[in-house]
Amino acid sequence: MVADRIETRDVDPPLRDDQSEAARASLSGVPHEPGAPKPDPIVVADNIVRKFGGLTAVDVEHLEIQRNVITALIGPNGAGKTTFFNLLTGFDKPDEGRWSFEGHNLNGMSAYRVARLGMVRTFQLTKVLSRLSVMENMRLGATGQSGENLWQAMFAPFWRSQEKANSSRAVALLERFSLEPKKDDFAGSLSGGQRKLLEMARALMVEPALVMLDEPMAGVNPALKQSLLGHVKSLREDGMTVLFVEHDMDMVRDISDWVIVMAQGRIIAEGPPEAVMSDPKVIDAYLGAHHDAELDLDESQSGDRNG
Amino acid sequence: MEWGGILEGALQQGLGPAAIVYCLAAIGLNVHFGYTGLLNFGQAGFMAVAGYALASIVATWGLSFWLGLVVGLALSVVLALLLGVPTLRLRADYLAIVTIAAAEIIRQTVGSVSLLEYFGGQDGLQQFVDTFAGLNPFTTPMGLGPVSWRPYDFFLLCVGWTVVALCCLIVYLLMRSPWGRVLKGIREDEDAVRSLGKNVYAYKMQSLIIGGLFGALAGFMTALQHAAINPSFFATDTTFFAYTVLLLGGAARVLGPVVGAITFWFLINVLDLFFDQATVGPNPLISASIMTHQQASLMRLIFLGLALMLLMIFRPQGIFGDRRELAIDGR
Ligand SMILES: Nc1ncnc2c1ncn2[C@@H]1O[C@H](COP(=O)(O)OP(=O)(O)OP(=O)(O)O)[C@@H](O)[C@H]1O
Ligand SMILES: [Mg+2]
């Protein structure tokens, strides 16, 4: 935590690059209010409700995610962010609601089909495949492999060249995420932070149009965090859309073009990071009412108070 | 004590038809459990379906032996679909419960009195191996070194180990492929595999079918080994012996079931023959006050249990397994 603070002090205020300018420009006319319509949405969700017994974990009236923009989804613990991710990606079924991705209606679609459409997520509690090597984890991410078909699998000539191409793409990604020296180790031997990195890299093997990262930086050391921020930004340059959940407010401020705030299942605010973080509603949600300090990093992480 | 005789007898069993049966059954379980993480506790059911299909097509309906083989394989695919469709979308333990029940239902059904005319009840069926025995080129007892087998057994053994070799080749080819990688991924975490766009349900079904087909081959082998078939061959302990063989050899290793089956039958027969000899005769090695001849026949199961416990404690990855894999498994 302390290292966090020191590390991030020197990079404030964040430098804005061209891509970021473009992304922000595309959102300039969008009102700063929950459920605001966007000019070019990649995801549109309506009336998504998920209840666990008596608890309404998610109740989102309307939400649009702008294409080719880095959007942060923030909110106190238990706000429903992970549940909302699960619902959007088909890992959980909402009690009601409809949502679409690039015009495809996703209602009732199974998780693997959603992923094939190009909407790929990572998990808050990492899911690496422990007894496969790091490389095998990566290769598994590649789509359209003819060797994954039972009839072709037995005959290597059908898939060898594709496997080679996937392997070199995997190595390039692993280098980007500083995991290349580990490529032949079992994924189960990686540290917690390395697992986060592997999961992110593996998701990119799918070549998604939208990457949904659930707390990608949790447990990643500050130095690597800085270079990862650069990688996430480069995803936008490659034409991808990024939606991520994060509790580290420095990271949110640094890389996101747009911020969506959830609390108790609802979306309570939307807007560019500076505007959202000085919004009294957001500060209340994080710190409880009667708190007059501006929302700062770290405090948000200790905040079950509203959960 | 005649150690030469004990080792010869044990070797004869260790390479014999019974070892082949458990080897094939364990190859199937290796695909299910070792590679995909599916808990199939009903491998005996797949064996029974195939074995009875073969025996009844020939002995009851008087049709061709080869048709019997085809029908046996087809029915084991049907069984895999019946078991898989309702359970493979649920948590892993549902498949375990359903398979163990299904295997018992199958065994009770073929042994039932109302189907006596088709399956022969508890006595089962005989007289269906003529076609197979007719192919036997051996006429005198054949052997390897000090051990020898009857001509029919030796023929069965040649065919059986050839089939085992082919099955191992198929498993090897499948599991080094991207298809095998998806199965291993499912074993580790199926949600992760789903999040990468793979149809987990379809892969689990394919795995269940393929492992079931290996189980069917084990069923044919059972029927041919005894030249007869009856429900007692397919009791639940058959499945558990096959799991023992798999774990002994090492799960998720291509040759694990082969090494496991040979070792298992060799050791179990060494124990059997040793206690048999040690308690027989006028002046036995182990006096009757400690153990009678009848009691000795149970010793092998006691020692087997003990050996399994020691194996799980000191070498849980099996003979062939990789220690590194265990070290990292934090669950
Ligand atoms: N499977 C479940 N069964 C019952 N309740 C659940 C389940 N999953 C989530 N919840 C509840 O739904 C609410 C939202 O949880 P969720 O995991 O979405 O929060 P979150 O915003 O991701 O929090 P965090 O920042 O701590 O990860 C919580 O109150 C939680 O207790
Ligand atoms: Mg969460």
Side-chain angles (χ1 to χ4, degrees):
Chain A
M1 241 14 50
V2 175
D4 231 5
R5 215 176 285 225
I6 296 163
E7 191 68 33
T8 45
R9 281 290 178 251
D10 341 324
V11 292
D12 256 15
L15 299 163
R16 296 275 159 217
D17 49 56
D18 294 353
Q19 279 290 324
S20 170
E21 295 295 349
R24 290 195 163 221
S26 74
L27 289 163
S28 60
V30 178
H32 300 178
E33 61 188 30
K38 314 277 181 336
D40 182 15
I42 190 167
V43 171
V44 180
D46 279 296
N47 293 315
I48 308 260
V49 178
R50 177 67 166 110
K51 295 189 172 122
F52 293 110
L55 176 96
T56 305
V58 170
D59 181 4
V60 171
E61 242 170 67
H62 185 78
L63 180 69
E64 297 184 9
I65 311 282
Q66 171 78 355
R67 186 190 311 276
N68 205 4
V69 151
I70 301 179
T71 304
L73 178 61
I74 65 170
N77 292 120
K81 306 178 293 295
T82 299
T83 309
F84 189 54
F85 261 38
N86 291 343
L87 294 172
L88 288 182
T89 51
F91 280 87
D92 193 4
K93 301 259 175 283
D95 298 305
E96 52 188 278
R98 45 185 295 109
W99 69 108
S100 66
F101 170 69
E102 296 208 283
H104 302 276
N105 180 14
L106 297 189
N107 279 59
M109 191 181 277
S110 46
Y112 84 92
R113 281 173 190 270
V114 174
R116 275 193 198 168
L117 284 178
M119 181 167 166
V120 175
R121 56 91 55 95
T122 64
F123 296 88
Q124 180 171 6
L125 301 171
T126 47
K127 293 186 183 296
V128 297
L129 309 169
S130 303
R131 285 182 291 169
L132 295 185
S133 72
V134 168
M135 248 333 239
E136 287 285 79
N137 266 268
M138 293 294 286
R139 289 195 193 106
L140 186 66
T143 47
Q145 301 188 48
S146 50
E148 287 183 355
N149 174 301
L150 177 58
W151 306 113
Q152 294 178 33
M154 276 201 272
F155 310 102
F158 282 125
W159 45 263
R160 198 164 274 146
S161 63
Q162 208 181 17
E163 186 86 346
K164 251 194 199 131
N166 288 338
S167 300
S168 51
R169 204 152 61 82
V171 169
L173 275 171
L174 288 176
E175 270 165 3
R176 229 207 244 186
F177 286 84
S178 312
L179 282 175
E180 207 270 339
K182 292 263 174 199
K183 71 182 175 23
D184 297 317
D185 294 4
F186 278 124
S189 71
L190 298 182
S191 73
Q194 289 169 330
R195 287 172 194 225
K196 280 270 169 203
L197 299 176
L198 173 58
E199 214 188 26
M200 212 192 309
R202 193 178 60 192
L204 296 180
M205 282 298 287
V206 186
E207 301 188 302
L210 168 64
V211 211
M212 297 171 60
L213 307 169
D214 200 343
E215 303 199 15
M217 298 298 173
V220 175
N221 92 65
L224 190 51
K225 219 180 248 187
Q226 284 308 312
S227 80
L228 272 181
L229 293 184
H231 294 325
V232 174
K233 286 183 202 166
S234 74
L235 298 180
R236 180 179 53 198
E237 271 153 53
D238 299 340
M240 279 180 232
T241 307
V242 181
L243 175 65
F244 70 102
V245 172
E246 188 52 66
H247 285 297
D248 178 343
M249 288 306 148
D250 272 336
M251 174 178 168
V252 171
R253 210 172 323 204
D254 188 3
I255 68 165
S256 56
D257 307 309
W258 193 259
V259 178
I260 297 167
V261 188
M262 266 183 107
Q264 292 168 7
R266 295 168 174 281
I267 296 187
I268 57 162
E270 264 193 63
E274 306 77 33
V276 159
M277 283 179 207
S278 53
D279 183 333
K281 268 188 301 192
V282 177
I283 298 168
D284 279 359
Y286 264 90
L287 305 174
H290 321 299
H291 201 295
D292 46 14
E294 196 197 322
L295 181 57
D296 196 23
L297 61 153
D298 299 338
E299 258 151 322
S300 58
Q301 297 188 333
S302 58
D304 273 281
R305 274 163 273 187
N306 273 48
Chain B
M1 186 63 42
E2 219 222 297
W3 281 104
I6 290 178
L7 292 180
E8 270 172 36
L11 194 61
Q12 197 205 22
Q13 289 296 315
L15 297 174
I20 297 174
V21 168
Y22 285 97
C23 181
L24 288 169
I27 290 174
L29 290 179
N30 200 16
V31 174
H32 289 156
F33 174 73
Y35 289 104
T36 323
L38 297 177
L39 276 175
N40 168 19
F41 283 129
Q43 190 70 331
F46 286 96
M47 294 167 65
V49 161
Y52 265 92
L54 175 65
S56 63
I57 289 237
V58 178
T60 307
W61 284 283
L63 299 171
S64 136
F65 177 83
W66 307 109
L67 180 70
L69 294 181
V70 173
V71 172
L73 292 174
L75 286 181
S76 70
V77 173
V78 172
L79 177 62
L81 290 171
L82 284 177
L83 294 174
V85 167
T87 56
L88 287 182
R89 285 188 206 275
L90 306 174
R91 254 189 5 235
D93 22 1
Y94 288 91
L95 180 70
I97 297 165
V98 169
T99 47
I100 202 167
E104 206 46 23
I105 291 170
I106 290 165
R107 193 170 75 89
Q108 300 292 345
T109 307
V110 293
S112 70
V113 179
S114 50
L115 295 173
L116 194 73
E117 52 177 322
Y118 304 113
F119 302 122
Q122 294 300 322
D123 295 335
L125 299 167
Q126 297 83 30
Q127 304 297 326
F128 52 84
V129 296
D130 292 351
T131 310
F132 182 74
L135 298 173
N136 182 4
F138 307 109
T139 48
T140 53
M142 300 288 292
L144 285 174
V147 286
S148 70
W149 290 270
R150 290 183 296 136
Y152 177 81
D153 283 349
F154 190 74
F155 175 54
L156 188 57
L157 214 118
C158 293
V159 174
W161 285 116
T162 309
V163 171
V164 167
L166 285 176
C167 291
C168 287
L169 180 67
I170 291 173
V171 170
Y172 166 75
L173 289 175
L174 282 176
M175 295 310 162
R176 68 165 187 170
S177 76
W179 184 85
R181 181 163 63 219
V182 178
L183 292 199
K184 291 179 229 169
I186 291 171
R187 173 190 71 197
E188 299 301 308
D189 193 317
E190 56 177 82
D191 275 344
V193 177
R194 229 172 243 135
S195 78
L196 300 171
K198 319 289 175 196
N199 185 353
V200 168
Y201 179 69
Y203 282 99
K204 286 209 254 181
M205 189 61 91
Q206 290 170 9
S207 164
L208 191 63
I209 291 172
I210 290 172
L213 286 172
F214 291 130
L217 296 178
F220 295 148
M221 200 67 203
T222 309
L224 293 175
Q225 176 202 354
H226 299 279
I229 200 162
N230 74 57
S232 70
F233 296 161
F234 306 107
T236 312
D237 55 4
T238 308
T239 301
F240 288 105
F241 278 173
Y243 265 104
T244 309
V245 161
L246 176 62
L247 296 177
L248 185 66
R253 305 278 137 187
V254 173
L255 294 179
V258 179
V259 175
I262 295 174
T263 317
F264 179 79
W265 281 102
F266 180 78
L267 289 180
I268 210 169
N269 282 290
V270 166
L271 289 171
D272 230 11
L273 295 169
F274 170 77
F275 282 107
D276 186 58
Q277 288 199 12
T279 53
V280 83
N283 186 17
L285 186 71
I286 301 172
S287 82
S289 61
I290 299 173
M291 191 192 297
T292 66
H293 191 61
Q294 262 105 37
Q295 289 168 329
S297 65
L298 296 174
M299 286 310 288
R300 71 166 184 177
L301 291 177
I302 295 171
F303 271 84
L304 186 70
L306 188 66
L308 256 184
M309 266 156 53
L310 292 175
L311 180 76
M312 285 296 111
I313 293 166
F314 292 107
R315 205 172 163 81
Q317 73 274 40
I319 296 170
F320 262 17
D322 185 342
R323 199 141 215 171
R324 281 191 314 155
E325 282 197 4
L326 281 176
I328 52 108
D329 203 350
R331 282 172 300 170

